Amino acid sequence: MWRVCARRAQQAAPRSGLRARWTAFREDPGAPGVTRRAGPAPAPGHSAAAGYGRVRALCGWRASSWATQRARLPLQLLGSPGRRCYSLPPHQKVPLPSLSPTMQAGTIARWEKKEGEKINEGELIAEVVLPALSPTMTVGTVQRWEKKVGEKLSEGDLLAEIETDKATIGFEVQEEGYLAKILIPEGTRDVPLGTPLCIIVEKQADIPAFADYRPTEVTDLKPQAPPPIPPPVASVPPTPQPVAPAPSAARPATPAGPKGRLFVSPLAKKLAAEKGIDLTQVKGTGPEGRIIKKDIDSFVPAKAAPAPAAAVPPPGPGVAPVPTGVFTDIPVSNIRRVIAQRLMQSKQTIPHYYLSIDVNMGEVLLVRKELNKMIEGKSKISVNDFIIKASALACLKVPEANSSWLDTVIRQNHVVDISVAVSTPAGLITPIVFNAHIKGLETIANDVVSLATKAREGKLQPQEFQGGTFTISNLGMFGIKNFSAIINPPQACILAIGASEDRLVPADNEKGFDVASMMSVTLSCDHRVVDGAVGAQWLAEFRKYIEKPVTMLL
């Protein structure tokens, strides 16, 4: 019987904590958790009996206590269930890092290591793919890499500029390291979501290991080739290239990139256009010779050397060359493609109708003049700010115009977020003035200026232009009298603002008429959500707030 019990004890030995208990029992039979059999001690000199007694004390094979000791044996060997524990060797959990400011989830494209394999510091463990930077984004374009292979990366550094379907967004570094490999070349268009962009390692010594690395997902992605240049028209003789003139020698070197491109920040380009500065004469002090705002502010044009009077000055390097052929193919950007798709969808699926009225702007112009005197030096209120505020308050009065068509339901919004159409070099974008119904005119003015600047510089964040409940499009500054705008789905209305002009209007005076500044506005409505009478009611509320701006305080 003791052999059977000993065999059971040996089978249970691999269990957690048994070895220590078994050793303690052999060395000290009176140790806790071991019950010796009651009775006389074995005679001295009988080692077998002593060992037998210990096994008997461990096994307790007496018939009277067999059942009790058999049930107690596992507890004596293994301890009580409440004291059981599972210990793991020292280890490290690798969490999924955030690779963009808007990243909330990621996709593991492929594991480079298998379970059981050794991982050395700096080795590639997994590829975290390009996240969606907007709800409608399916592909992206790598506009420019701001870092080169081998450069050290610090948290917050701008790594690349990615063009989405909404805007060009800077891709920032989230952790320190070194850029080991660029997988998607600069200028590659229509990169699908889930495609690895680059590899970053912790140690600089690990960079050479990825020199020939190339995942299979990007083997077919190549930079967009420029459109083929059409052959020159036969009737136009080729113009011989003149010898470089002397004045060009005094001109500073053009800050161009490795591909001959002129690197200019959007703000610097805008300032240069306003000041009439030739960017080829400006020396950039930014990364890789990039021209920034500071370079434009401190630029002093150099005096050109006098040319001989008889010589005809050839066109300078800043003059655009005469295009050859009869047309030029301009590649369609992701932003322009999405604009085209959404506008076509809107006109084909939304039953538009249009309502137009004329609004007297006399009171608004007077109030605007007084307010700007009060806040002079801090900000400047425009007529468009009054229009945004009046539109928001009219939406509270007529909530049907502040609704969205969602196929199965009509969502009536309780807050008014005004989307303001802004024209940028890349296309039209609509940044949002959130909670316009509770903001003052000065706050609205500051928000519009900030959002418009970000939009033209391509620095808008997705949350700043996604959403909105009502849209305003203003072409009055271009002299457009009136126009009909296309609804921005899923919104139900969009207000088109024309230019103000002086008109003769009936008046109760000696002359019987007066000169008033009148502005034409057109409201485009979705007939599925807003009936004609409801649209007319909204315009009436809007006109009341504009012609009597003091009522905005009520």
Side-chain angles (χ1 to χ4, degrees):
M1 180 63 69
W2 68 270
R3 293 178 180 175
V4 175
C5 293
R7 187 178 299 111
R8 291 181 180 177
Q10 292 176 357
Q11 292 175 354
R15 302 286 294 274
S16 173
L18 176 62
R19 185 177 299 276
R21 293 177 178 274
W22 179 259
T23 303
F25 167 75
R26 294 183 61 184
E27 294 177 356
D28 186 8
V34 178
T35 304
R36 177 180 288 275
R37 176 192 173 194
H46 292 76
S47 59
Y52 170 71
R54 290 188 178 184
V55 174
R56 287 177 58 193
L58 174 66
C59 300
W61 59 271
R62 290 187 305 167
S64 60
S65 60
W66 168 244
T68 304
Q69 295 295 337
R70 182 178 60 180
R72 190 182 303 170
L73 175 61
L75 298 180
Q76 293 175 347
L77 295 176
L78 305 178
S80 60
R83 295 171 57 188
R84 294 180 63 183
C85 62
Y86 298 92
S87 61
L88 296 174
H91 62 284
Q92 179 183 4
K93 295 181 179 179
V94 181
L96 177 66
S98 175
L99 300 181
S100 74
T102 58
M103 178 177 176
Q104 297 180 350
T107 301
I108 304 298
R110 183 176 66 254
W111 285 100
E112 299 292 338
K113 296 293 182 179
K114 298 179 180 179
E115 293 186 6
E117 290 188 6
K118 182 179 179 181
I119 299 177
N120 298 320
E121 184 177 1
E123 288 187 341
L124 178 65
I125 299 178
E127 293 174 351
V128 181
V129 298
L130 173 67
L133 301 179
S134 71
T136 57
M137 177 180 174
T138 57
V139 295
T141 296
V142 180
Q143 290 281 25
R144 179 171 60 254
W145 285 100
E146 299 292 343
K147 297 292 183 179
K148 296 181 180 180
V149 174
E151 288 190 14
K152 181 175 176 58
L153 307 177
S154 300
E155 185 177 357
D157 286 352
L158 183 61
L159 180 61
E161 290 186 357
I162 308 297
E163 179 189 344
T164 69
D165 57 343
K166 298 290 186 182
T168 300
I169 300 176
F171 198 86
E172 296 182 354
V173 180
Q174 300 299 313
E175 296 182 0
E176 294 184 356
Y178 293 88
L179 183 58
K181 181 74 173 181
I182 293 178
L183 303 177
I184 303 298
E186 189 175 279
T188 305
R189 296 171 54 85
D190 299 336
V191 179
L193 294 182
T195 303
L197 297 180
C198 65
I199 295 176
I200 299 176
V201 295
E202 293 184 359
K203 304 178 70 173
Q204 190 175 11
D206 297 324
I207 295 177
F210 297 94
D212 299 327
Y213 175 82
R214 186 171 182 83
T216 57
E217 288 83 353
V218 298
T219 53
D220 297 332
L221 295 177
K222 298 179 181 179
Q224 181 74 11
I229 301 177
V233 181
S235 59
V236 180
T239 304
Q241 295 294 333
V243 181
S248 62
R251 182 171 292 183
T254 300
K259 300 180 181 179
R261 295 172 53 189
L262 188 66
F263 292 147
V264 187
S265 70
L267 179 58
K269 184 182 297 184
K270 177 184 177 183
L271 294 176
E274 293 176 352
K275 298 181 180 181
I277 297 177
D278 185 3
L279 291 174
T280 59
Q281 298 183 12
V282 182
K283 183 177 180 180
T285 60
E288 300 183 3
R290 186 187 182 108
I291 299 175
I292 58 179
K293 178 180 180 293
K294 181 180 67 174
D295 303 326
I296 300 298
D297 294 338
S298 60
F299 172 72
V300 177
K303 293 182 179 180
V312 178
V319 179
V322 178
T324 58
V326 295
F327 61 86
T328 301
D329 290 333
I330 301 176
V332 179
S333 64
N334 290 339
I335 298 176
R336 178 59 61 184
R337 181 183 295 110
V338 171
I339 291 174
Q341 293 173 351
R342 289 181 61 83
L343 293 181
M344 183 174 62
Q345 174 192 3
S346 177
K347 289 295 289 184
Q348 290 180 345
T349 61
I350 297 179
H352 287 63
Y353 72 91
Y354 311 97
L355 303 174
S356 300
I357 61 170
D358 294 331
V359 182
N360 192 331
M361 302 295 293
E363 288 291 331
V364 164
L365 296 178
L366 292 176
V367 174
R368 172 178 175 265
K369 185 177 180 180
E370 294 179 3
L371 292 178
N372 282 334
K373 287 182 180 179
M374 296 173 59
I375 61 174
E376 186 175 3
K378 294 191 292 185
S379 58
K380 187 176 181 180
I381 298 175
S382 67
V383 173
N384 201 51
D385 302 326
F386 281 90
I387 294 173
I388 293 173
K389 182 66 175 180
S391 299
L393 295 178
C395 285
L396 292 182
K397 291 286 187 177
V398 187
E400 291 86 353
N402 194 44
S403 303
S404 302
W405 175 265
L406 301 178
D407 291 333
T408 57
V409 296
I410 295 176
R411 176 169 297 170
Q412 196 169 103
N413 301 289
H414 302 305
V415 296
V416 186
D417 299 330
I418 301 293
S419 302
V420 182
V422 177
S423 178
T424 69
L428 187 68
I429 194 169
T430 53
I432 303 170
V433 179
F434 291 96
N435 297 314
H437 59 293
I438 60 176
K439 289 184 176 179
L441 290 171
E442 185 179 4
T443 304
I444 292 175
N446 294 334
D447 288 353
V448 171
V449 171
S450 175
L451 292 170
T453 303
K454 287 184 179 181
R456 295 188 178 98
E457 293 179 357
K459 296 181 180 179
L460 279 177
Q461 298 299 317
Q463 65 271 14
E464 294 177 319
F465 57 82
Q466 293 173 3
T469 61
F470 189 92
T471 300
I472 295 175
S473 180
N474 192 344
L475 294 179
M477 67 285 295
F478 299 105
I480 303 301
K481 183 177 180 180
N482 56 65
F483 68 102
S484 300
I486 301 176
I487 296 174
N488 183 20
Q491 298 176 12
C493 295
I494 181 172
L495 184 65
I497 307 297
S500 300
E501 61 179 2
D502 292 337
R503 301 181 194 173
L504 296 178
V505 296
D508 188 11
N509 54 25
E510 295 179 358
K511 297 182 292 185
F513 64 89
D514 201 353
V515 178
S517 178
M518 304 297 294
M519 180 182 70
S520 297
V521 299
T522 300
L523 182 67
S524 303
C525 302
D526 183 351
H527 216 318
R528 300 173 300 180
V529 182
V530 180
D531 295 332
V534 176
Q537 182 184 356
W538 188 94
L539 283 174
E541 295 290 340
F542 173 79
R543 178 162 54 186
K544 181 186 70 174
Y545 286 120
I546 290 294
E547 294 185 348
K548 296 292 182 181
V550 69
T551 58
M552 296 185 189
L553 302 176
L554 299 177

